Amino acid sequence: MLSRVFQAYGHVCAAHPWEVIVGTITLTSCLMSMSLFTGHDKICGWNYVCSREEVPHGPENIFLTVARCAAVLYIYIQFRNLRKSGSNYLLGIAGMFTIFSSFVFSSAVVNLIQADVSGLKDALPVFLLLVDIKKASALAKLALSSKSEMEIKDHIAQGMSLIGPTMTLDAVVETLVIALGTLSGIRQVEITSNFAWLSVVTNYLAFMTFYPACLALILELSRDGHGGTPMWYFHQKFAKVLQEEEEKKPNPVIQSIKVIMSAGLVLVHAHSRWGGEPSEGILSDGLSQLDLDTLGLQQEVTPDQSLWQFYLLSALQMDTDHVIMLALAAFLTVKYIYFDYDLDTQINLINNKMSPRPEGEDCTMGISTSTKEVEDDVISTATKSRHASFIIGDDDSSSESEKESKETQTELNDLFKPLTLRASSPPRDLEECKEILNSDEGPDELTDEEIMLLVKDKHIPSYKLENILGDYKRGVAIRRKLVSRTLASASAFKNIPYDNYQYKYVDGACCENVIGYIPVPVGVAGPLLLNNKQYQVPMATTEGALVASTNRGCRALSMSNGVSSVVIGDSMTRAPVVRLPDACKASQLKRWLDIPQNFEKVKESFDSTSRFCRLQKIQTCQAGRTVYLRFIALTGDAMGMNMVSKGSERALRVLHKQFPDMETMSVSGNYCTDKKASAINWIEGRGKSVVCEATIPASVVQSILKTNVQSLVDLNISKNLIGSAMAGSVGGFNAHAANVVAALFIATGQDPAQTVTSANCITLMEAVGKDRGDLYISCTMPSIEVGTVGGGTILPPQAACLQMLGLHGASDTSPGQNAAELASVICATVLAGELSLMSALAAGHLVKSHLKHNRSQLNVIPSLPTVKEDQSSSERTKVAR
């Protein structure tokens, strides 16, 4: 009967969490403001001089100190035991429950003993000693084993039906037993007993109202929006968790005894409190007699400070026992956060050994069982191939069979290979592992589990795994396993490959804390005829129709004598921000730099940092006493950000000698501007400034682009010029330059974030030629930030894409030539993309082309219409081949 009542109650709380939470908080706020137990306005020590309370000493003081420390230790043990579950959500939920319960408890204590808020120092340890996180974590386990919103409500309801009756009876018995202490006549025992029974009641009320509702709300809000397995899923079947809680139910005989005991205790309290002389307990008309005696009101005085200051100072005045308790709490907190990882690892190893493997399950592909089983296969692969997989150039030193085995992974079946895992059972202890690591044997003699123990002990930094192990692949594989144990989904790494990659190029240059790589489709557009030279342009993208559309533009340009380009600017910038004592000194710095001799001093220092980086000028801007110094320099075939930054730091030393009171606030003051849209890059340029142009005959416009010149010219004015101006665009006077720039940047190893400024472009179209029937088109891009050396260009696949263009590495004849030519290729490809897209828009073909090229058939709902396979050939050529 009671189980059904609590189940229905739990379902209501889980189904209406907002109402329950708001109602609970509102009721708590009312209790805080109503002063239920006392309304006394005489505050001892503030506006009244009172007789001092006798301070406990000797054995009594030692007992209180031990009790407080035991309370802190008890909470630490409870949270430490929760780590065995492996769920961070359990820890967070249990902590939330404890914090809210302690808040409500503290509020009740404040109302109970308003005259002395410092009593909280004695009350909170009692509360910690009596709070029971086990029941809260048990309900959380049941909720976390849900896979849907409906299951959350049902599981919480079933959990309440199991835990509710037992917890209610326990709370009643504990309250009645502890309340006997209030009848003892001993002051300290009575105070402690009052705090204790209040703690039990508070904990029970919080569990029965706020907690289930908040639990349901948190899990509902943190669900994965894609409908998959929730991120908080406990990976333990509900039936198993339910069975565990069923087994923990107390014996019915014991429950009956508790009921009889409760009835007897009720009689005892009734007789003691109402059957005889009034006790010194809590009076019905205000403060308890105990509290009145404590106040010992004698003389009214004028307060010398506000009430809240008095309360704050009273709470902060701590005796030796309070200091000891806080020190212990701080020590256990640090230990819990930083030094309890070893226990977790040992528990996981024990649990994995004790968990039987289902019959018939492949021991190397048990992705569905646990994160450990998945990542064991990941680690196992690390003990094999340690060589590079990407071949650049004409290196034929490997046999055909070896080349086949080194191909980049794209198939799911190749992601996790069933190789032998370096393992021993059980792992050696931590100190022995440290000795082996520092010995001549080194990490090769340690198993992967032992390496993970050293990482968790912070003896090996996670980001240095590759360098310390001397094996890039093994370092990546171990890091994957470490990370996977913290993830909600055991199969998260299933489709992120890590094998057959040359991580030596990544280390210290391109990425940190590597866990694998992301294969991106690479298409080719071309041939692109640029300055009488043909290029096959690689484009890495996941946007369908982009490569096909750009390819059509390249075809139209090739049939029109190609594209002509000119590089009109070449300069990389970095703008430190400095501050001087006042605006006058700031203006002196600005004028000092305008003197050619002074500039030459700065340039000499700047140029000394590199063989290729050469300072061209310094553009200054003053705002109050702050000066922005935009160093503009040539950087050869490198994109050059690091070069210019290094030179700027050296140049600032010269300025510091001339202006000792100058303060360098940052080497970058956003006046550069890097990776942010800005007018200064659009006007002044940054990186390579390129102009490309072409003239398309009317016949090509009609036959290939399926439109006419006048429609293109009108559309360009309305869309790219007027439309962008109406939108307040900076550098966005184009149709989709960023599409092409991003695809080329990813393919050739440029910084994708610099697409923001590199895609600055204005596209112009005019009707020219006889009868104004031909189309003149140009693209002007003032800030293409690219390089053919350094950065991502050192990665083999990206270097291969640069080789496709004949632009990998530095120019042998003229420093900076390759980078300038790459910028020209990018601008010309943007022109091809602009030409094709604008033609599709003018002809009304854009939607049809995207339905054909940008719709994965795997994701199309069967009932939706798709492009018919029997289209006529004329329909298929609406988008370029």
Side-chain angles (χ1 to χ4, degrees):
M1 177 63 183
L2 283 178
S3 296
R4 289 196 296 269
V5 171
F6 278 97
Q7 183 173 359
Y9 174 78
H11 196 278
V12 171
C13 289
H16 306 281
W18 282 112
E19 292 84 347
V20 175
I21 293 173
V22 172
T24 304
I25 294 177
T26 302
L27 180 60
T28 304
S29 302
C30 291
L31 291 176
M32 290 180 63
S33 61
M34 287 171 61
S35 299
L36 293 180
F37 295 96
T38 180
H40 215 288
D41 59 349
K42 299 176 181 179
I43 310 300
C44 181
W46 182 62
N47 60 355
Y48 267 80
V49 177
C50 312
S51 58
R52 291 190 171 273
E53 180 184 347
E54 182 178 352
V55 179
H57 56 81
E60 184 182 0
N61 195 23
I62 295 174
F63 173 79
L64 292 176
T65 303
V66 172
R68 294 185 180 109
C69 293
V72 174
L73 187 62
Y74 177 69
I75 286 292
Y76 165 76
I77 293 173
Q78 289 201 74
F79 274 94
R80 196 163 186 251
N81 289 337
L82 282 181
R83 299 188 79 150
K84 297 179 182 179
S85 66
S87 172
N88 290 330
Y89 268 84
L90 276 182
L91 293 173
I93 290 169
M96 173 205 68
F97 172 71
T98 305
I99 291 171
F100 180 79
S101 299
S102 60
F103 171 75
V104 177
F105 174 73
S106 301
S107 303
V109 171
V110 169
N111 282 282
L112 179 64
I113 51 169
Q114 273 190 352
D116 189 7
V117 178
S118 62
L120 278 174
K121 293 186 291 187
D122 295 318
L124 287 179
V126 177
F127 169 81
L128 295 177
L129 195 58
L130 291 173
V131 69
D132 187 5
I133 302 177
K134 294 179 182 178
K135 292 184 175 63
S137 63
L139 186 61
K141 281 185 180 180
L142 292 169
L144 289 173
S145 59
S146 311
K147 287 188 177 181
S148 65
E149 182 179 349
M150 186 57 64
E151 283 189 359
I152 293 174
K153 300 174 184 177
D154 293 338
H155 291 184
I156 290 178
Q158 292 190 46
M160 291 295 289
S161 69
L162 282 175
I163 303 172
T166 303
M167 188 171 185
T168 300
L169 182 57
D170 290 344
V172 170
V173 173
E174 290 175 11
T175 302
L176 292 173
V177 171
I178 294 172
L180 291 176
T182 62
L183 306 174
S184 65
I186 303 174
R187 169 174 168 71
Q188 194 62 42
V189 174
E190 290 188 359
I191 292 177
T192 304
S193 298
N194 276 318
F195 290 153
W197 73 257
L198 188 59
S199 171
V200 173
V201 173
T202 301
N203 185 53
Y204 174 78
L205 293 177
F207 182 89
M208 297 303 296
T209 55
F210 176 85
Y211 182 69
C214 196
L215 182 62
L217 183 62
I218 289 174
L219 300 189
E220 182 178 338
L221 294 178
S222 61
R223 280 191 56 81
D224 186 354
H226 302 290
T229 302
M231 64 183 71
W232 37 256
Y233 185 54
F234 191 60
H235 292 287
Q236 192 170 350
K237 292 183 178 180
F238 174 74
K240 183 178 180 181
V241 180
L242 196 63
Q243 181 181 359
E244 291 177 355
E245 295 306 318
E246 287 278 5
E247 293 173 353
K248 294 178 182 178
K249 290 181 68 175
N251 192 307
V253 177
I254 298 177
Q255 295 293 84
S256 300
I257 294 174
K258 289 183 178 179
V259 172
I260 298 173
M261 182 187 302
S262 300
L265 289 172
V266 169
L267 294 176
V268 171
H269 281 283
H271 179 269
S272 300
R273 298 181 185 276
W274 299 294
E277 293 294 327
S279 64
E280 293 183 349
I282 296 178
L283 301 179
S284 59
D285 58 343
L287 281 175
S288 67
Q289 184 65 42
L290 183 65
D291 292 329
L292 291 174
D293 291 342
T294 302
L295 287 173
L297 302 176
Q298 294 178 354
Q299 182 181 357
E300 184 174 1
V301 296
T302 302
D304 57 353
Q305 58 186 346
S306 61
L307 184 59
W308 71 268
Q309 290 177 326
F310 169 76
Y311 281 159
L312 179 63
L313 293 175
S314 299
L316 293 178
Q317 291 175 357
M318 295 184 294
D319 299 326
T320 305
D321 51 343
H322 294 120
V323 173
I324 294 174
M325 183 190 70
L326 289 178
L328 177 63
F331 169 77
L332 293 178
T333 301
V334 172
K335 183 178 184 297
Y336 180 84
I337 296 174
Y338 296 104
F339 299 100
D340 280 351
Y341 287 105
D342 293 341
L343 175 64
D344 297 345
T345 304
Q346 295 170 9
I347 291 171
N348 288 334
L349 291 174
I350 294 172
N351 291 338
N352 289 327
K353 290 177 183 179
M354 295 179 64
S355 300
R357 185 181 300 277
E359 293 183 5
E361 182 177 339
D362 181 36
C363 63
T364 61
M365 295 297 293
I367 292 178
S368 63
T369 57
S370 69
T371 305
K372 183 182 188 303
E373 291 172 3
V374 173
E375 286 303 316
D376 279 349
D377 299 322
V378 177
I379 300 296
S380 66
T381 320
T383 62
K384 297 260 179 162
S385 170
R386 300 188 185 183
H387 300 287
S389 58
F390 292 98
I391 307 299
I392 299 178
D394 300 323
D395 186 1
D396 293 324
S397 58
S398 302
S399 65
E400 291 298 318
S401 61
E402 290 175 334
K403 290 181 180 178
E404 290 179 0
S405 67
K406 295 177 180 178
E407 292 177 354
T408 306
Q409 296 171 240
T410 55
E411 294 293 328
L412 176 60
N413 293 335
D414 295 332
L415 295 179
F416 301 105
K417 301 177 182 179
L419 305 179
T420 303
L421 172 66
R422 297 184 189 181
S424 63
S425 181
R428 288 162 284 196
D429 63 77
L430 188 61
E431 293 301 321
E432 184 178 356
C433 292
K434 291 179 181 179
E435 293 178 2
I436 295 174
L437 179 66
N438 297 325
S439 67
D440 294 335
E441 297 174 339
D444 288 341
E445 295 303 315
L446 294 171
T447 67
D448 296 325
E449 287 290 344
E450 291 168 345
I451 293 294
M452 286 189 285
L453 283 175
L454 291 172
V455 173
K456 288 186 176 182
D457 187 58
K458 303 188 182 302
H459 193 74
I460 297 179
S462 177
Y463 65 91
K464 288 186 177 180
L465 271 171
E466 293 90 339
N467 294 332
I468 292 177
L469 299 180
D471 186 334
Y472 289 103
K473 190 197 294 187
R474 188 185 181 199
V476 171
I478 290 176
R479 185 179 294 111
R480 285 168 69 102
K481 187 169 184 180
L482 285 166
V483 173
S484 71
R485 290 181 174 178
T486 66
L487 303 179
S489 174
S491 58
F493 285 147
K494 180 179 178 181
N495 290 320
I496 302 179
Y498 79 99
D499 199 8
N500 297 326
Y501 198 82
Q502 295 180 327
Y503 290 107
K504 64 180 180 181
Y505 296 105
V506 178
D507 185 39
C510 298
C511 188
E512 300 78 36
N513 290 331
V514 180
I515 58 172
Y517 56 94
I518 302 296
V520 179
V522 180
V524 63
L528 171 67
L529 184 59
L530 171 63
N531 295 334
N532 297 318
K533 181 179 178 181
Q534 289 190 339
Y535 298 87
Q536 295 288 348
V537 183
M539 301 176 68
T541 182
T542 56
E543 179 177 351
L546 175 61
V547 177
S549 177
T550 307
N551 192 64
R552 180 174 74 154
C554 290
R555 184 185 178 199
L557 292 170
S558 295
M559 296 174 65
S560 309
N561 297 322
V563 183
S564 299
S565 74
V566 57
V567 178
I568 59 175
D570 185 0
S571 59
M572 181 48 62
T573 65
R574 175 60 84 193
V577 52
V578 299
R579 184 165 59 193
L580 289 99
D582 51 53
C584 182
K585 285 287 184 69
S587 63
Q588 290 177 12
L589 169 62
K590 191 175 183 299
R591 290 195 298 269
W592 188 87
L593 287 171
D594 292 337
I595 300 174
Q597 294 85 346
N598 297 336
F599 171 79
E600 288 301 322
K601 293 180 182 179
V602 177
K603 175 178 170 59
E604 181 181 0
S605 177
F606 185 102
D607 292 350
S608 66
T609 60
S610 171
R611 292 183 299 156
F612 302 101
C613 191
R614 295 293 178 263
L615 182 64
Q616 301 299 299
K617 64 179 180 178
I618 302 175
Q619 186 176 3
T620 60
C621 178
Q622 182 177 348
R625 63 190 184 109
T626 304
V627 180
Y628 298 86
L629 309 170
R630 194 170 189 252
F631 291 88
I632 303 172
L634 297 175
T635 57
D637 285 302
M639 186 269 289
M641 279 298 304
N642 292 336
M643 283 185 182
V644 182
S645 297
K646 186 177 179 181
S648 300
E649 287 186 334
R650 185 68 62 85
L652 288 175
R653 298 179 187 176
V654 176
L655 297 179
H656 272 292
K657 291 180 181 178
Q658 187 67 29
F659 300 89
D661 49 1
M662 184 185 77
E663 175 191 358
T664 301
M665 301 181 68
S666 172
V667 74
S668 174
N670 276 6
Y671 190 65
C672 316
T673 297
D674 185 38
K675 301 174 184 176
K676 290 168 283 291
S678 65
I680 194 169
N681 288 350
W682 175 242
I683 297 170
E684 298 290 340
R686 190 173 193 258
K688 315 301 190 236
S689 299
V690 184
V691 178
C692 285
E693 62 178 3
T695 301
I696 317 298
S699 59
V700 175
V701 173
Q702 293 175 2
S703 62
I704 302 299
L705 302 177
K706 308 299 181 182
T707 186
N708 60 77
V709 173
Q710 191 58 47
S711 295
L712 283 171
V713 173
D714 290 342
L715 177 62
N716 187 69
I717 293 173
S718 299
K719 172 182 169 63
N720 291 342
L721 301 184
I722 299 177
S724 295
M726 294 294 290
S729 177
V730 175
F733 300 94
N734 56 81
H736 71 147
N739 249 338
V740 176
V741 172
L744 268 160
F745 269 33
I746 295 172
T748 58
Q750 311 304 314
D751 190 340
Q754 289 184 322
T755 301
V756 175
T757 50
S758 296
N760 282 340
C761 173
I762 182 170
T763 301
L764 300 175
M765 295 184 185
E766 301 175 40
V768 297
K770 185 179 180 180
D771 298 327
R772 300 180 65 83
D774 299 334
L775 176 70
Y776 171 85
I777 180 173
S778 68
C779 285
T780 303
M781 303 182 70
S783 53
I784 303 178
E785 300 153 315
V786 293
T788 57
V789 297
T793 66
I794 66 174
L795 299 175
Q798 285 79 351
C801 288
L802 286 172
Q803 283 185 329
M804 288 177 59
L805 300 170
L807 299 174
H808 180 247
S811 172
D812 295 330
T813 56
S814 177
Q817 179 60 39
N818 281 359
E821 189 173 344
L822 175 60
S824 296
V825 170
I826 292 173
C827 186
T829 308
V830 167
L831 188 147
E834 292 285 285
L835 180 63
S836 182
L837 176 59
M838 292 295 289
S839 299
L841 289 170
H845 296 165
L846 178 67
V847 175
K848 293 181 181 179
S849 67
H850 272 266
L851 284 175
K852 181 176 180 180
H853 294 279
N854 199 22
R855 293 283 296 277
S856 171
Q857 297 300 314
L858 296 176
N859 296 325
V860 175
I861 301 174
S863 61
L864 295 178
T866 59
V867 180
K868 296 181 180 179
E869 291 296 327
D870 59 347
Q871 288 175 308
S872 65
S873 59
S874 62
E875 289 176 323
R876 292 174 183 169
T877 57
K878 286 180 180 178
V879 177
R881 291 179 283 275

